Amino acid sequence: MSGIIEIRKIPRSRWRRKLSSERAFDSFLQLAMLTGTLLLWEWLSTALHAEFWVSRPSSVAQAMLVWARSGNLASDLKLTLTEAGIGFLIGSLAGAIVGFLLGWVDRLGRLFEPLVLSLYTLPKVALAPLFVLWFGIGPLNKIMFSALLVFFMVFFTTFQGTRQVDRDLVANARLLGASPMSIWFKIAIPFAAVWVFTGIRIGLPYALIGAIVGEFVAADSGVGFRIKEATSFFDTSAVFAGLIVLMAISMVLLGLLKLIELRLMRWQNPGDIITTEIGA
Amino acid sequence: MSSMVSNPRLEVPTTAAPDMARENLIHFDAVTAKFGQLHAMGPTTLSVRRGEFVAIVGPSGCGKSTLLNMVAGTLRPSSGSVHYDGQQVAGPNSDVGYITQKNYCVPWRTVEGNVRMPMEFRGVARAEMDERVKYALAQVGLTGFERAYPKQLSGGMLQRVMIARTLAYGPSVYLMDEPFGSLDAQLRTRMHAKLLEIWQKTQATFVFVTHDLQEAITLADRVVVMSRRPGCPKLVVDINLPRPRDVVDIQADPAFGAYVKQLWHALDVD
C-alpha cells in the first residue's frame, strides 16, 4: 500500500515572481506618495502663508536637529520609551493572565462580566488625573497609566479568544490521557496565544498613548512633555518634530512585534499546501 | 500493543462475572440513552470480545455513536451499565483510541508533534516516543511529512495523522465513528487495507461505526444492525469471510454479496 500515494508540490514560482515584482512597484509607489506629500506640504504652507499653523517639512527637520543637538531628544526618548515599555510589559502580562483565567473558567467569566463590560465602555483617559493623585508626577504615574491602557486591550482579546477554545478538542485531549495541567499548557494556552498576540499588537500603540497622556497631564521631560511645551510656545515645527518621533517609534515597535509573532506563530502561515495525488 | 497506563478512572469491578470479563472486553448491559425527551437508544445488550472487529451499522440517529461514547466514558447511560475490561466505566476511559470524522489535530503542532501529544500526556520516555512516532507515521504512509503543519494537509492526510496518533500510543480499543466518511472511494479502500493491517498487527479490539454496509462487511468479524430510534440491535451477523482479507478481492466473493443482501434487508424492514 505504501508508495502509491505520491506527493506533489504545486509549482508556484512563476506567479510568486510576478507577485514580488508587483510588491516592488507598490513600495516605489508608496515612496513616491510620501515624497509628493512632503513637497506639497512644503509648497502649500508657504503659498498659503500657513506656516504658523502647519509648519513645513524643512522647518520640522530643523526643529528636530535643534532638539537632537540639545541632547534632550535622546533623554526624552529614553524616558518615554522606558515608561511605555515597562507599562506595556506589566499591562500585557496582567491582561493575558486575567483574560485567560476569566475566559477559561466559565464561572469567573460570568461573575466578572458586568464589571468587565462597564470598564470596557469607560474612557480610560478620564482616569489620568486620578493616577497623578495615586502615583505622583514621576515616571511611575506614566508606567501605571500605560499598563492600564494596554491591560484592557490585551485583556479583552484574550478573554474573547480563550472563550473560543474548542471544547471538543479539550474533551478529546482528556480522552487521550491529558491531566488538567497538560490541558492548560498544551491545549488552552497555545490556543489562547494567538489572541494574546492580537491583543498585544492592538495594545502596543496604547502603551505609547499612556506614556504621552501621562506626560501631558504632569511631567517635566519626555516626548509628550516636549510636544506640550512646544505647543505652549506656539512652536508648531517642534510639535511636528515630536509627532514624527512618536510615529517612528510606533513603526519600529510594530515591526519588532511582527517579527516575534512570525517566529512564534509560524504554524499559522506555514507555507504551501501539500497536495497528495493518488497514482495508479 | 498493550495499554501503557493503568486506568485510575475506572471503578472497582462490580457485577460482571470474572470469566465473562476475561473474554469480553466490552459489555453493554441493557443500556439506554435519553437526551431530555428524546429516547435515543436502547435497551441494548451487547458484548465485544477481546481482539474482535465489530462493525455497527444502522440508520442516522439510532445511537451508534452513543455506544462508542459510553465506552469512552464521555457519556453515561441513562440506565443499565457499560463494563470495560471487567470494570464499570465511570469516567473518561483513556484506554481507548477514538477516531471520528472530525480531526483533532492541534494546528500549532507539526504532524510529528500531534502524533507525539498523547504520549506526552502519558509520560512515555522520549526515545521510545521518537521510535513510535516514526513507526506510526510509516504505517499510514506519512513518512516525510513530520514537519508539516495541519494547515498544509488535505482531509485524507489529516485522517491518517489521527490514525497514526492513535496507533502510536497504542490503546487496547479503537473506537471509530465513520472515520472515512469524508474520504473519496479510492482513498477509503486504501484506508481499509491499512486498517486491517493495523488490526492484525496490534491485535487490538475495533468497534467501527458506519452506515456503509460494504465497509462493515469488508472489515468486521461481526456486524451489528441497529434499528431505527430508539435504536437497539436487531440483527447480529457473523461475517465468515476468510482472513487475511484483500479489501478489493473480497467484494467479488459470492458470500460477500449474500451478506450485503441480508444486512440490507435487515436495515430496510423498519
Side-chain angles (χ1 to χ4, degrees), chain B residues 37 42 47 65 75 83 98 109 133 138 176 185 191 197 208 255:
Chain B
Q37 291 295 310
S47 292
S65 311
L75 182 77
H83 282 78
Y98 207 144
R109 281 179 174 234
V133 169
M176 307 190 93
M191 296 306 297
E197 208 181 303
F208 194 103

Side-chain angles (χ1 to χ4, degrees), chain B residues 37-55:
Chain B
Q37 291 295 310
L38 184 72
H39 190 182
M41 193 198 70
T44 294
T45 299
L46 183 71
S47 292
V48 179
R49 287 190 292 275
R50 213 175 279 276
E52 194 180 17
F53 200 128
V54 172

Side-chain angles (χ1 to χ4, degrees), chain A residues 7 172 176 186 274 278, chain B residues 120 122 145 152 165 190:
Chain A
I7 299 116
N172 184 258
L176 292 173
K186 295 192 168 166
I274 301 164
I278 296 165
Chain B
E120 285 175 15
R122 287 150 194 259
F145 290 98
Q152 296 171 282
R165 190 176 82 168
R190 267 195 198 95

Side-chain angles (χ1 to χ4, degrees), chain B residues 11-151:
Chain B
E11 281 174 0
V12 197
T14 49
T15 52
D19 57 329
M20 196 178 104
R22 214 166 294 134
E23 198 197 346
N24 290 332
L25 184 62
I26 302 164
H27 182 69
F28 299 96
D29 188 14
V31 291
T32 62
K34 289 193 181 93
F35 302 104
Q37 291 295 310
L38 184 72
H39 190 182
M41 193 198 70
T44 294
T45 299
L46 183 71
S47 292
V48 179
R49 287 190 292 275
R50 213 175 279 276
E52 194 180 17
F53 200 128
V54 172
I56 301 174
V57 297
S60 309
C62 72
K64 297 176 301 235
S65 311
T66 307
L67 284 173
L68 297 191
N69 288 334
M70 285 177 179
V71 179
T74 52
L75 182 77
R76 271 171 191 276
S78 305
S79 68
S81 65
V82 182
H83 282 78
Y84 177 83
D85 205 7
Q87 299 174 343
Q88 191 166 345
V89 179
N93 179 356
S94 55
D95 201 26
V96 305
Y98 207 144
I99 300 171
T100 65
Q101 249 186 69
K102 182 172 172 175
N103 94 79
Y104 289 103
C105 283
V106 295
W108 56 86
R109 281 179 174 234
T110 58
V111 165
E112 192 177 34
N114 269 289
V115 174
R116 193 180 287 273
M117 200 164 67
M119 294 190 281
E120 285 175 15
F121 292 157
R122 287 150 194 259
V124 176
R126 184 160 279 279
E128 193 185 343
M129 213 146 56
D130 291 342
E131 202 174 301
R132 283 174 181 229
V133 169
K134 211 175 146 201
Y135 171 78
L137 286 178
Q139 284 300 304
V140 299
L142 283 179
T143 306
F145 290 98
E146 291 84 355
R147 306 223 157 267
Y149 284 94
K151 270 199 170 178

